[in-house]
Amino acid sequence: MRGISIPDRLMHILIVEDDAEIAGNLYDYFTAKGHQVDAARNGVTALHLLATLCFDVIILDLGLPGIDGLTLAQRIRHDAKSSIPILMLTARDTLDDKLAGFSAGADDYLVKPFALKEVEARITALAKRAQGRVVAKEMQIGALRYDPFSGVASWQGKPLKLSPKSLKLLVTMLEQPGRLFTREELEQAVWGEPQANSDTLRSHLSQLRRELTLQEGKLLIENVHGRGYRLLEQYDT
């Protein structure tokens, strides 16, 4: 259940929250930012997702039906032997409640009501800390730039209008320009698992390649037949 490598601030997030409105707000906010998000309304579903998918961080409510949040955190830490960062969200705000949360395995604790931007800041810090990385700086190759703080990629000075998945794909390749990525590596980075249909990845790559066209119709993302794709390190615009 180790988290996958994080390209910039893009993460695979598990939301464990039984309040449909809160879970929906979190889900919509983070998917709009380009993150991959799964949600569970109870501990049993959460454990199943954790056993089958890779996550970078967990947003966990304490007041869950059945298995409560404290018990779930303990099972994640002790039974599953997982070190995935956990941010606990709860209406309980006493010191004893917070100490119980940390004792159960929480890495951070946020009391409801909360601001979505604060949740984002906290889980980003947790995920970066877990990866042993500093906060990412702007990435740039020639006229191609990505600002991790605004979440905006630009080409030749103009913001790119990309879907969240296409943006995540671009950031993955921009983090290691010149590297040849296999189809499976790119699918793992973007969706958390290989896709049954190769057309899924191909459609997002096609969008990127249309946006990132060089002189005389040359493409910034190179297709190496039968092997994979790479973002060119050097090019003429």
Side-chain angles (χ1 to χ4, degrees):
M1 296 201 306
R2 292 175 55 228
I4 62 175
S5 178
I6 306 170
D8 251 354
R9 294 194 316 167
L10 299 177
M11 297 170 280
H12 192 177
I13 304 166
L14 175 60
I15 299 169
V16 189
E17 170 64 69
D18 67 320
D19 186 305
E21 183 177 357
I22 294 175
N25 288 339
L26 288 165
Y27 186 94
D28 291 345
Y29 181 82
F30 287 111
T31 54
K33 294 279 188 174
H35 302 291
Q36 183 176 356
V37 184
D38 284 279
R41 298 190 67 175
N42 56 64
V44 173
T45 303
L47 288 172
H48 172 73
L49 289 171
L50 287 163
T52 56
L53 298 173
C54 295
F55 294 95
D56 298 301
V57 67
I58 301 170
I59 300 174
L60 175 61
D61 177 41
L62 284 185
L64 297 172
I67 303 173
D68 63 45
L70 289 177
T71 302
L72 180 58
Q74 291 170 342
R75 291 183 63 173
I76 291 170
R77 292 290 185 248
H78 302 296
D79 297 346
K81 307 297 183 184
S82 173
S83 60
I84 298 174
I86 297 174
L87 170 64
M88 283 189 173
L89 298 180
T90 179
R92 308 171 190 174
D93 59 358
T94 70
L95 177 59
D96 287 343
D97 288 326
K98 293 180 181 179
L99 293 176
F102 288 123
S103 178
D107 296 278
D108 200 356
Y109 195 104
L110 189 58
V111 176
K112 300 176 183 177
F114 52 80
L116 290 169
K117 286 186 177 181
E118 184 174 4
V119 177
E120 180 182 21
R122 292 191 183 220
I123 66 170
T124 298
L126 289 177
K128 294 296 182 184
R129 194 179 307 149
Q131 291 288 323
R133 295 173 52 184
V134 298
V135 175
K137 297 181 179 179
E138 181 181 90
M139 291 187 288
Q140 179 177 358
I141 299 177
L144 177 62
R145 297 184 181 185
Y146 176 70
D147 180 357
F149 300 100
S150 66
V152 174
S154 62
W155 171 241
Q156 297 178 340
K158 298 180 180 179
L160 292 170
K161 296 180 180 180
L162 301 174
S163 68
K165 296 298 185 187
S166 294
L167 177 61
K168 189 167 187 178
L169 181 59
L170 175 61
V171 172
T172 298
M173 303 182 78
L174 186 56
E175 189 178 46
Q176 299 183 67
R179 175 188 166 182
L180 182 64
F181 288 88
T182 65
R183 167 195 160 192
E184 291 78 12
E185 286 175 326
L186 291 175
E187 290 174 342
Q188 179 70 29
V190 176
W191 288 276
E193 59 184 347
Q195 300 296 289
N197 191 335
S198 61
D199 288 342
T200 304
L201 175 64
R202 191 177 296 118
S203 65
H204 289 283
L205 281 167
S206 295
Q207 181 191 13
L208 283 178
R209 299 178 90 198
R210 285 194 302 270
E211 295 282 350
L212 304 174
T213 302
L214 301 172
Q215 291 179 348
E216 301 177 355
K218 293 182 180 179
L219 301 173
L220 185 56
I221 297 177
E222 182 180 23
N223 180 3
V224 182
H225 184 69
R227 297 180 61 194
Y229 302 86
R230 65 179 161 219
L231 183 68
L232 299 181
E233 285 188 277
Q234 298 180 344
Y235 57 86
D236 295 322
T237 58

